[in-house]
Amino acid sequence: MNSSAPIGIFDSGVGGISVLKTALALLPKERFVYYGDSAHAPYGTRPEEEVRVLARNVTEFLLKKGCKAIVIACNTATCAAAQALREENKNLIIVGMEPALKLAHDTCPEGTIAVLATPLSLSSAKYRALYEKYGEHSVSVPCAGLMELVEKGETDSAEVTEYLSEKLGPFMTDGSLSAVVLGCTHYVFLKDAVKRVVGDRVRVLDGNEGTVRQLMRRLNEQGLLNEGALADLPRCELNTSGSEEDLAVMKMLLEKP
Ligand code: DGL
């Protein structure tokens, strides 16, 4: 493996762009190849076996691009496929994601923690194990249909607010909500909308920075952090299995401050 090779990042669609943005900021000397599998989105309402096959196909695409490491910028695909991908690619750095429940548990000891994630993530064995350890004050909130709004480029529409109010409203009545965990990379683009619904007192957390820091550690351990100059090469290449519109949404989200 060559340290000047790019890092592959993928998601079921445009959600992983939120991870790519964090990676671009924290790893200024690295190049990235992004793949959004929008043609097969959502992953979160499919059976695990199907997501495993889709994640394997995307990983092959990124390896053909010469990537030195893979980031599964999708909580759902991590639950369904990370273990299999690691077994199939023994020497490859594969960094996955999980809802930031440990962070919420450690930083918000009082009150209720609401974990928003896809139905597949929340029903997976991986999430159950995390919940056993850190879930004592948490409630799992499956959000089927929410990623579809972000795929359309909606991060602040009336429909988004209505959806979030319906899901989070029940926790607002007694004032016990202390944190909301955004357990799907698409939802990270809804952070401001969530904050407006739950108010300033409630913390809104995601796992993006933790994931990128884990990637940095793994690359460093293997001597794969790029030290050379980037020359005139572009910092990232965007790919989609979807349409021109999907690509336009990706670009819009990447440029969004
Ligand atoms: N962005 C994905 C995640 O982090 C899931 C969206 C989906 O395909 O359902 O879980």
Side-chain angles (χ1 to χ4, degrees):
M1 264 311 162
N2 184 343
S3 61
S4 65
I7 294 161
I9 301 191
F10 79 90
D11 176 48
S12 61
V14 302
I17 294 286
S18 65
V19 180
L20 174 63
K21 287 171 87 150
T22 309
L24 284 165
L26 294 181
L27 290 163
K29 289 185 175 171
E30 302 292 341
R31 290 184 299 121
F32 301 89
V33 179
Y34 183 84
Y35 192 96
D37 199 7
S38 293
H40 303 109
Y43 280 5
T45 46
R46 286 178 184 270
E48 252 185 38
E49 305 73 50
E50 266 181 45
V51 175
R52 210 169 293 133
V53 172
L54 293 167
R56 187 177 289 132
N57 292 342
V58 178
T59 302
E60 273 167 25
F61 174 91
L62 293 172
L63 290 179
K64 282 198 189 118
K65 290 272 183 184
C67 293
K68 63 181 175 185
I70 303 288
V71 179
I72 310 175
C74 176
N75 295 263
T76 310
T78 302
C79 292
Q83 199 183 336
L85 291 176
R86 289 188 181 116
E87 279 162 16
E88 292 159 13
N89 300 277
K90 288 242 158 42
N91 297 319
L92 180 67
I93 294 175
I94 298 180
V95 175
M97 303 199 68
E98 65 183 21
L101 182 56
K102 180 181 184 308
L103 177 65
H105 171 271
D106 293 350
T107 52
C108 306
E110 307 287 332
T112 305
I113 296 163
V115 182
L116 311 189
T118 68
L120 177 52
S121 287
L122 293 174
S123 63
S124 69
K126 189 175 188 300
Y127 185 72
R128 274 202 303 279
L130 187 71
Y131 183 88
E132 293 279 301
K133 271 180 150 169
Y134 305 108
E136 53 197 315
H137 304 295
S138 82
V139 275
S140 305
V141 186
C143 291
L146 186 53
M147 74 81 82
E148 285 87 334
L149 299 179
V150 183
E151 283 288 302
K152 286 194 283 180
E154 289 185 30
T155 53
D156 216 4
S157 64
E159 213 180 327
V160 164
T161 309
E162 199 182 313
Y163 188 107
L164 293 172
S165 305
E166 203 171 292
K167 290 283 177 182
L168 294 166
F171 307 108
M172 301 307 295
T173 45
D174 64 357
S176 69
L177 191 69
S178 60
V180 175
V181 173
L182 304 174
C184 164
T185 51
H186 282 78
Y187 309 165
V188 177
F189 288 113
L190 306 177
K191 201 170 223 169
D192 290 345
V194 171
K195 280 185 176 165
R196 264 195 299 281
V197 171
V198 297
D200 289 341
R201 204 189 47 79
V202 178
R203 294 196 66 188
V204 183
L205 304 165
D206 66 72
N208 284 9
E209 186 175 332
T211 301
V212 174
R213 295 213 177 272
Q214 171 65 0
L215 170 68
M216 285 162 88
R217 273 193 293 275
R218 297 290 311 277
L219 289 169
N220 190 32
E221 272 164 22
Q222 312 245 341
L224 283 175
L225 279 170
N226 184 39
E227 300 298 343
L230 281 174
D232 292 332
L233 294 167
R235 292 280 325 274
C236 60
E237 175 192 315
L238 302 181
N239 300 276
T240 179
S241 57
S243 61
E244 282 302 313
E245 286 81 47
D246 295 319
L247 199 59
V249 172
M250 263 185 208
K251 287 185 182 153
M252 180 276 284
L253 292 174
L254 187 59
E255 277 151 30
K256 200 174 183 293

